[in-house]
Every structure is written in C-alpha cells, then in structure tokens.
Amino acid sequence: MLDFAIFAVTFLLALVAAVLYLYPASRQAAGIPGIAPTEEKDGNLPDIVSSGSLHEFLVDLHDRYGPVASFWFGRRLVVSLGTADVLKQHFNPNKTSDPFETMLKSLLGYQSDGGSVSESHVRRELYGNAVTAALQRNFPLLLKVWSEIGKGFLDGSLDKNATRKKQYQDALMQLESTLKKIIKERKGRNFSQHIFIDSLIQGNLNEQQILEDSMIFSLAGCIITAKLCTWAICFLTTSEDVQKKLHKEIDEVFGKGPITSEKIEQLRYCRHVLCETVRTAKLTPVSARLQDLEGKVGPFVIPKETLVLYALGVVLQDPSTWPSPHKFDPDRFADESVMKVFSSLGFSGTWECPELRFAYMVTTVLVTVLVRRLRLLAVEGQLFEMKYELVTSSREEAWVTVSKRY
C-alpha cells in the first residue's frame, strides 16, 4: 500500500521539488497557520505520502488550518491557498506568469523567463492569438483527429528508477529535436496551413523561447485535452437530463448541417457542461507560483521566494462557493456570478490558459459529434475513482456504453 501511495504522489512531488530547487525559499513561517515538519530532513513528505496524493494532503490541511495554510517540503516553507477569496487576493497582483506553466517548466528543467509584466502580457496575447488562429485555420482537422488524441504524456510514473528516468529524458530530447526541425523548416517561409509555431516565430521570440513554449503547449495541451474529453464523456453518462438538454442545443444550433467553428461559439450550454466537468473532476488540482516579492494575503505575510501552491482542487469543491459541490450540475454556470468566480481562477475568460482553450474546442467537437448521434450510458456498477496528479485522471479504465439516438 505504501509503495502504491509513493507511486501516486511521485509526479507532483517531482514538480514541487523542481520548483523549490530552482527557487530557494525562506524558512520563516511568518505566523501562517499550518503543520509542523514531521521530519527534519523531509519536512511533511511522510504526511503527503500517507495521504495518497498532494491534493488529498491539501484537502486535510485546509480543513484543519483554514484557507491560508503552510507546510514544509524538506526544510523549505510552502504556503497553500485554498479558497477563491484568498486566491484572488494573491493572483491579482501576481499575473506575471501562468502557475500551471511554472510547474511544467520546472519539471522540464526550463528556467522561468523572469521578464517584465509588460513582456509577459505581450507573450500571453501572442499565445492567445496563436491558439485562435490555429483553431480557425485547422478546424476541419479536429473533426478527424479527436479520436486520435493520446492518453497523455505525463502518466505519473516518473520516479527514481534510473531506467525510467532515462526513458523519460530520451523522450523529451526526441520531442525537442522534432520541434527544432519543425521550427527550422517553417522559419522564414509561408505555408498555406497555419500552425501554433508559426505565430511564435512571427512574434520575434528567440529560438530557445519558441522551443520551450512549443514544448509547454504540446505537453499541457495534450494531457489537458485528453483528460477533459474523458471526464466530459464520463460525467455525461451519469445524467440523462444533461444529455437531453445538450442534444437539444446541438440540434437547434446545427440542425442537419455541418459542424462549423462559427456555430460552435453558440453552444452556450455545452460550454457550461465543460466548465462543470473541469470543476467536478478537479481537472488541474494544484498549480504553483513563486512569491517574487514579500506579499500579504489577508493578515498573513508571505515571505519573498516562498513557493505558493494554489490548491485548486480544494477551491473547486468549496461548498461556500459551489453549493452541492460533488454534484455534476452544468446549470450552475448559467449564473454570471458563478462564471465570474470560475474565470477568476483561470479556467475561463480573459485569463484562461491557451492549452485549456484548445482543450475546450477539441472536447466540444468530440461531445457534439457523439451526442448528435448517440446516447451515452454508464456501465452498471462502475465508479470513477480519481487519481490526482498534474492533471486528474481515472484510476481505472473508464468504460461507457452507447445506443443510437435515432
């Protein structure tokens, strides 16, 4: 059992360790409530392992100590934020980097860019436009490739095994090599089909930055898209009423006509379904941000260079923000105030990450194609037990049955 628990938490702990290695943190606890180190060398690592995952550890941590809580990773202080309120207080002044990107860059060994706020905004706008352009110009391909989306790049199995580590590093090098060839091939040339890398090249970024951003988008886009597709289908099988409402909207928008990118934007209820899927699945349960300068959240001072975790999985199940938090209920997003909270967490709206925007589009196509023709049915007795890693997945294979709608 202990071996399984260690396996389950290895991936997220590797991310945290990488960030902490790159950004040494202060030992000063600054009066923030939290758990004392269990061991001098490992801090609260034994507690995280016994909890089964970092997310499950944070659920208990915030339940005991409140929305702002601290713990120790080795000899280093980590502060976790566990409500939408405190996240907003920390997020608004610190919008210079994507917290999900921070964690993934650390795992890949890339240094955070450390650029100015204005540079960061320019890059974010560039990426947003790049995703939009790529989706618009390649939309027909989505109809053909949604079933080919891989199971995900990061499977949580990275550990200290030398053979496994070498395989992982070789895979990264191979992907980097492929991307370098694509960048070289497309630089300074015009192609009829626009892809994401073309926008990065046209944005006058240096070659290393283009490579790193292509890697981040490829990996994050793949895993987030695959898991969002999976969970959307799983949750749809649990509610015939949601399927009926979704089918009605699809029929009203498309009729017997083809699926088009322009009409996709009219699927308002479908977007609510996907937002609720992200929330119910706790799709990205944890992200991280470095505290560049000393800051405050409520009455608490967060020391400079402290790693701040965003306990998104805790926030997305907070009953004070989401009534009946464990119920799959897309109708909750018809309330603009609810959507506003969701957007403030970076899952929609202005601060929605490019990878998630891509995932929403691909999953919308998948769901539209399926629900148009089929009724999705649950397998009797099947339970969807969640495994919390960088992106939440099912511990076991998820099976569904289908029947023709007509």
Side-chain angles (χ1 to χ4, degrees), residues 177-187 195 197:
S177 176
T178 300
L179 289 172
K180 284 178 180 177
K181 290 178 181 177
I182 295 172
I183 293 168
K184 183 178 180 180
E185 176 186 335
R186 299 188 76 89
K187 202 164 189 177
I195 64 173
I197 288 177

Side-chain angles (χ1 to χ4, degrees), residues 59-128:
V59 169
D60 180 64
L61 182 74
H62 286 289
D63 186 51
R64 293 168 60 188
Y65 296 103
V68 182
S70 64
F71 66 97
W72 298 86
F73 191 89
R75 296 185 174 90
R76 303 170 190 274
L77 175 69
V78 181
V79 174
S80 179
L81 306 181
T83 66
D85 229 19
V86 296
L87 275 177
K88 191 183 300 182
Q89 292 178 47
H90 188 261
F91 186 55
N92 286 342
N94 293 280
K95 288 183 177 177
T96 56
S97 63
D98 185 321
F100 190 88
E101 180 183 311
T102 297
M103 297 188 76
L104 194 48
K105 274 195 171 184
S106 299
L107 178 66
L108 297 174
Y110 297 152
Q111 294 286 343
S112 291
D113 52 49
S116 66
V117 175
S118 61
E119 289 173 341
S120 195
H121 280 296
V122 168
R123 285 181 59 206
R124 191 176 187 90
E125 184 176 355
L126 172 64
Y127 304 154

